[in-house]
Amino acid sequence: QGEKAHMWNEPGNIAGFPACALAAAEVVTDPALRRALVILAAAHIDDVFGRNPLGRHFSHDAPKEIEGVEHGWPAEYLGGNGMLEEVRFVLDGAPKQQHYPYNPGANPGYTEGWVNFNTAYNASLAWMAYARTSVALFDPKFMKPVTTLLPGERVGIELIAPINFDYAKSEEATVQVTTSNGDSETVALKEAARFSPALRGHLRAIEGPVRPGDGILQVRPGDTIFVSYGLGCFRRQARAEIPHTDP
């Protein structure tokens, strides 16, 4: 703005922008705008991981710390304020204004890892995980979503979340199942198949007095069942209704 060119010299701005974009994408109603925000979020993370004029990850030690990274940032601040030199995944630097639109030979400038850079990146990690997380209830026979459930019926629970990091291991997760009448149960889910982002489990609801934590979901006509994963603003939830019985 004004007398100075726009400055691209703040790694935290780039690493943290996906958190801003994905948070906004959760509330905007225009599908085109939502899609644009998601694309911008992905582009900024691509920038951090090397899709930039220098072709380098923002972390100097990335090649030895992050699978698949070939070129780290060309320098690091030895010792460093906060003594971050030996800390894993420190974001050391980012392309400067002189590198754009494409000038990889320009001086990479001052380099120093800051806690604030990685704090911003951690916020983006949280929002990226949330954006890829969903919970659903389904009919295990026909594999179709359900929104109503009769007492005694078996219902499937599916969680899609970015937790499949060890392809040699069958991942597990838990979801919390609650009802509007006060029952609360924890249900274990297992990876649906190798390399699958989906984890699945099953639950059967019966009519009866509420006994939270007994491993059985007690319901009554008119109840609402909630299945949730995550906490606070990062919670994803699905719901189903227990219909009223005919008079």
Side-chain angles (χ1 to χ4, degrees), residues 82-242:
M83 302 183 70
L84 299 177
E85 178 188 351
E86 299 300 324
V87 177
R88 296 178 62 188
F89 208 98
V90 171
L91 299 180
D92 295 288
K96 311 301 187 289
Q97 67 271 15
Q98 62 265 25
H99 293 114
Y100 292 89
Y102 184 73
N103 183 21
N107 189 331
Y110 183 76
T111 294
E112 181 181 354
W114 286 12
V115 170
N116 285 353
F117 299 162
N118 282 79
T119 299
Y121 178 68
N122 289 342
S124 288
L125 286 177
W127 279 100
M128 287 189 292
Y130 181 64
R132 291 178 174 269
T133 299
S134 63
V135 182
L137 294 165
F138 65 92
D139 181 332
K141 184 176 180 180
F142 299 103
M143 297 300 293
K144 293 183 177 181
V146 297
T147 56
T148 60
L149 178 64
L150 296 176
E153 281 188 327
R154 185 166 170 262
V155 65
I157 301 172
E158 180 180 79
L159 167 68
I160 295 178
I163 59 177
N164 187 21
F165 298 120
D166 186 347
Y167 293 151
K169 176 183 177 184
S170 179
E171 306 284 1
E172 297 183 1
T174 58
V175 294
Q176 195 67 27
V177 183
T178 59
T179 69
S180 55
N181 71 6
D183 200 0
S184 178
E185 306 294 339
T186 299
V187 178
L189 310 180
K190 293 186 177 181
E191 191 176 338
R194 192 180 183 192
F195 307 126
S196 173
L199 296 94
R200 296 187 183 127
H202 299 90
L203 176 70
R204 193 182 299 275
I206 65 170
E207 286 196 65
V210 173
R211 296 186 179 91
D214 68 348
I216 301 172
L217 194 68
Q218 289 90 18
V219 297
R220 59 191 178 191
D223 281 351
T224 302
I225 297 174
F226 302 93
V227 181
S228 61
Y229 177 80
L231 300 172
C233 67
F234 293 116
R235 182 178 63 177
R236 292 293 193 189
Q237 190 175 76
R239 60 187 289 169
E241 306 292 334
I242 305 295

